[in-house]
Amino acid sequence: MTAPFTYTDQQDTRSGFGAGLLELGRKNPEVVALCADLTGSLKMDAFEKEFPERFFQVGIAEANMIGIAAGMTIGGRIPFTGTFANFSTGRVYDQIRQSVAYSGKNVKICASHAGLTLGEDGATHQILEDIGLMKMLPHMVVINPCDFNQTKAATLAIAEYEGPVYLRFGRPKVPNFTPADQKFEIGKAVLLKEGKDVSIFATGHLVWKALKAAEALMEKGIDAEVINIHTIKPLDEAAVLASVSKTGCAVSAEEHQRHGGLGDSIAQVLSMKLPKPLEYVAVNDSFGESGTPEELMVKYGLDTSDIVKAAEASIARK
Amino acid sequence: MASIHQLQRIATQVRRDILRQVHAVNSGHPGGSLGCTDFLTALYFHTLKHTPVPFEMDGNGQDLFFLSNGHISPVFYSVLSRSGYFPVDELKTFRKLNSRLQGHPTTHEKLPGVRMASGSLGQGLSVAIGAALSKKLNNDNTLVYTLHGDGELQEGQIWEAAMYAAAKKVDNLIATVDANGQQIDGSTDHVLNLGSLEAKWQAFGWDVLHMDGNNMESVVSTLETAKSHTGKGKPVVILMKTEMGSGVDFMMGSHKWHGVAPNDEQLAKGLAQLEETLGDY
């Protein structure tokens, strides 16, 4: 991509999931979907309408949903569970740990309304720890796509992968800039803008903000490289090392706690293989609160200007 | 299909296996294992339609069993090996490093016969419902069985699953509750009184049966009755009265042998009460 960065439309990533799930239903008869009373919010209603025999409404009982999904893999089904990210992870951690991850079951845990951009419902629902929780589970794949098109492509891709996956997406409409025909490769970072002064590694909703930050940095004479880390685990270490070898410093950007998120994954790679400065753009050991998504991103330091500042700070430490 | 007498002889050997496994590593859970020996022996040697070799995870066309109270792994491992899922000699590796016979059952080491990890309680009923739904989607008319401890019913997920199975008419499912009235800290009445299990399961919409879990004739006939109750719009639960430690006199009538292994002297005393019928491993 070249600046100024543009997008085709604004859509919510959860709708990308819904569109991908519907397409999967048509393509793959083994795919089944389970939902814990949030069918509309997860955009699973089209799948439910077209494939009622493969849709399982479990009610407000997420632990049971995860267990049922694990059991349904026995017999060859590919279950996709859907609820908010908070109820997809923290609430059911032990069920995922024992019945899905340790048991090696082919369950796709699909989680909407992740992070601060859930907005007005407040901190009870704004989970900012889910990436950390999921990436600590052995062999769990953790994916946080950036826009509608990429979420749809990721939904299709994870059905082809054998094993547990955590797919994280969100509530608000955001710029949709990934080409609709771009294939989603699990674990393969996407280089969005080449640069030589600083590497910005962003995931989820922060990817678009990273591109806008790169534009702002360009006006200051700073040539930033922007890489979309849609798969946090397994991390594309080669992409991280190649970029930082060139730029000499890095920024991570995510809608998640600083502890345990994408930034820590990158820090681990850099500290072990290529010690270079890294600045975090993430929530700093705090719960969220009620507010509009835009207000919250500014207040908690996840805005475009925060990425710009972090890039400058990282460069200053070279 | 084994006769009642043959099943009783197998159960005696299984009880020996349980004592010897936990004694060898000075850890494990003999009490509940001994109590559920007759049930698991009847299930694997009489009731289940299953093919131990080659073991297939999906189990299409086979009845499936899920052990939800995974801590009674000694009886599970004994019955699985004695029915041909893996060599009986492998019982020697129970709870040892690099073994497929982990403290609690798991698929992780690919032990034939195990389809889901269990140990953290309360998860097996949900898993079994999932497998049962999968069978329905596959037009597979075989059945899914589970076993739970009564203490395990204190976990909330059990009741989420119980509500779901009845509401969605998961009627190819037979759950059994080991009602021995004991858990780690004492009797279930003392720790957290379960109230009327019959009333609870009935209120949740299940078809409730009762059996004497330490009487082989009762176990075999009740399992046959339970099978005949499937396919009628309701999940089936068997409330199975057992005695923790059944078959070894000094282990009975108390919760003390829930998770304690016998010493050399106690092992000898226990084995003296149990005839070696199939040959020790």
Side-chain angles (χ1 to χ4, degrees):
Chain A
M1 291 176 84
T2 51
F5 304 109
T6 56
Y7 53 87
T8 50
D9 57 341
Q10 294 222 35
Q11 290 199 64
D12 42 0
T13 50
R14 56 185 166 142
S15 287
F17 165 68
L21 187 65
L22 181 62
E23 191 171 319
L24 269 181
R26 292 171 181 162
K27 280 170 59 173
N28 190 338
E30 301 299 339
V31 168
V32 295
L34 300 88
C35 189
D37 196 31
L38 285 169
T39 311
S41 296
L42 268 285
K43 306 295 181 186
M44 297 169 91
D45 28 14
F47 182 98
E48 178 186 18
K49 192 173 171 201
E50 194 163 323
F51 306 103
E53 75 289 353
R54 286 196 272 147
F55 179 81
F56 298 85
Q57 171 62 264
V58 301
I60 310 166
E62 295 82 6
N64 189 38
M65 176 169 73
I66 296 296
I68 291 176
M72 289 190 84
T73 64
I74 299 167
R77 299 289 157 174
I78 306 171
F80 282 63
T81 66
T83 182
F84 288 173
N86 188 29
F87 313 134
S88 293
T89 56
R91 189 176 182 92
V92 293
Y93 198 64
D94 189 44
Q95 284 76 20
I96 294 174
R97 183 175 181 275
Q98 176 170 287
S99 294
V100 177
Y102 185 44
S103 291
K105 298 304 181 191
N106 191 23
V107 175
K108 316 303 174 187
I109 299 158
C110 304
S112 183
H113 292 56
L116 292 172
T117 52
L118 170 140
E120 294 80 353
D121 278 350
T124 53
H125 289 49
Q126 292 162 345
I127 194 162
L128 294 162
E129 303 83 31
D130 55 322
I131 290 173
L133 286 170
M134 290 296 110
K135 81 175 189 183
M136 277 198 294
L137 290 170
H139 309 303
M140 178 67 76
V141 168
V142 179
I143 296 172
N144 188 188
C146 63
D147 63 8
F148 175 96
N149 284 342
Q150 190 165 69
T151 307
K152 183 180 176 190
T155 304
L156 294 168
I158 62 176
E160 303 294 319
Y161 169 83
E162 173 82 25
V165 174
Y166 179 61
L167 179 65
R168 178 197 214 233
F169 41 90
R171 174 181 178 233
K173 288 189 163 69
V174 292
N176 184 27
F177 57 93
T178 299
D181 60 352
Q182 186 178 88
K183 191 173 182 321
F184 188 91
E185 292 183 67
I186 295 171
K188 182 82 179 145
V190 179
L191 175 62
L192 291 173
K193 176 194 173 298
E194 287 194 73
K196 59 180 173 34
D197 296 330
V198 58
S199 303
I200 303 175
F201 301 105
T203 193
H205 291 148
L206 270 290
V207 176
W208 178 254
K209 289 183 184 293
L211 287 171
K212 300 316 281 182
E215 280 181 13
L217 287 163
M218 206 176 291
E219 286 172 16
K220 298 181 173 207
I222 296 170
D223 187 12
E225 182 148 294
V226 179
I227 295 181
N228 174 5
I229 307 283
H230 54 62
T231 307
I232 293 147
K233 188 184 168 191
L235 184 67
D236 190 344
E237 284 192 23
V240 170
L241 293 170
S243 180
V244 179
S245 296
K246 180 173 64 174
T247 63
C249 70
V251 170
S252 62
E254 62 195 304
E255 192 181 345
H256 189 268
Q257 297 289 353
R258 176 185 288 196
H259 295 296
L262 169 66
D264 278 1
S265 291
I266 289 170
Q268 188 180 91
V269 173
L270 294 181
S271 65
M272 290 177 73
K273 297 182 177 167
L274 183 65
K276 296 287 180 189
L278 169 70
E279 292 287 324
Y280 285 60
V281 174
V283 175
N284 189 8
D285 201 23
S286 166
F287 289 104
E289 65 182 83
S290 292
T292 67
E294 297 75 20
E295 290 169 341
L296 291 162
M297 295 297 262
V298 170
K299 175 165 179 178
Y300 288 87
L302 305 184
D303 204 14
T304 301
S305 62
D306 297 296
I307 302 174
V308 170
K309 276 183 241 162
E312 291 174 322
S314 195
I315 290 167
R317 290 171 52 206
K318 275 202 225 183
Chain B
M1 199 173 286
S3 68
I4 297 292
H5 178 66
Q6 286 168 322
L7 291 171
Q8 287 166 334
R9 287 176 60 79
I10 296 167
T12 306
Q13 184 67 51
V14 169
R15 287 189 163 94
R16 289 181 68 90
D17 291 349
I18 293 166
L19 293 185
R20 296 181 69 239
Q21 283 176 83
V22 298
H23 169 264
V25 287
N26 194 28
S27 76
H29 297 79
S33 292
L34 291 164
C36 292
T37 294
D38 304 300
F39 169 73
L40 278 162
T41 301
L43 197 66
Y44 274 82
F45 289 89
H46 185 276
T47 308
L48 286 185
K49 177 183 172 190
H50 65 133
T51 308
V53 182
F55 173 66
E56 288 175 9
M57 177 57 76
D58 282 344
N60 292 321
Q62 299 184 50
D63 294 331
L64 306 181
F65 171 72
F66 294 96
L67 181 69
S68 191
N69 48 336
H71 56 276
I72 66 163
S73 55
V75 62
F76 191 34
Y77 294 149
S78 171
V79 168
L80 285 177
S81 68
R82 295 282 174 187
S83 57
Y85 281 89
F86 58 87
V88 175
D89 209 41
E90 202 168 337
L91 295 176
K92 285 177 185 161
T93 70
F94 174 64
R95 283 184 172 238
K96 289 183 177 166
L97 195 63
N98 301 320
S99 172
R100 300 195 292 180
L101 278 60
Q102 290 291 298
H104 294 79
T106 174
T107 57
H108 196 257
E109 274 68 32
K110 306 202 182 327
L111 183 69
V114 181
R115 292 190 165 87
M116 186 67 63
S118 60
S120 177
L121 294 170
Q123 300 188 27
L125 192 55
S126 305
V127 169
I129 289 168
L133 293 174
S134 210
K135 284 199 178 294
K136 282 181 180 274
L137 283 171
N138 292 339
N139 295 315
D140 178 346
N141 61 8
T142 51
L143 299 172
V144 178
Y145 294 79
T146 62
L147 178 61
H148 309 268
D150 49 2
E152 184 186 6
L153 304 187
Q154 291 159 359
E155 291 282 5
Q157 188 183 346
I158 288 284
W159 302 103
E160 291 184 7
M163 189 184 294
Y164 181 95
K168 308 287 181 172
K169 298 182 169 53
V170 185
D171 60 1
N172 52 346
L173 174 65
I174 299 172
T176 297
V177 175
D178 175 22
N180 62 17
Q182 305 289 344
Q183 56 191 113
I184 295 178
D185 278 354
S187 71
T188 52
D189 286 353
H190 169 73
V191 176
L192 180 62
N193 196 320
L194 299 167
S196 168
L197 288 184
E198 179 173 24
K200 281 188 169 66
W201 286 97
Q202 275 177 349
F204 272 77
W206 286 57
D207 185 353
V208 183
L209 301 174
H210 295 268
M211 74 183 176
D212 177 351
N214 296 132
N215 177 318
M216 194 62 84
E217 284 183 48
S218 170
V219 173
V220 169
S221 67
T222 309
L223 282 171
E224 289 305 308
T225 304
K227 273 160 73 171
S228 73
H229 284 221
T230 59
K232 299 185 191 303
K234 281 185 171 187
V236 180
V237 63
I238 304 171
L239 301 180
M240 175 174 78
K241 188 88 187 78
T242 71
E243 177 101 42
M244 191 180 262
S246 173
V248 179
D249 57 8
F250 62 89
M251 289 186 167
M252 293 164 69
S254 152
H255 67 277
K256 289 177 188 159
W257 290 92
H258 169 88
V260 177
N263 61 26
D264 293 350
E265 188 185 335
Q266 290 161 334
L267 174 70
K269 194 175 165 194
L271 292 179
Q273 299 171 30
L274 300 163
E275 186 188 350
E276 182 181 347
T277 53
L278 302 178
D280 287 340
Y281 59 85

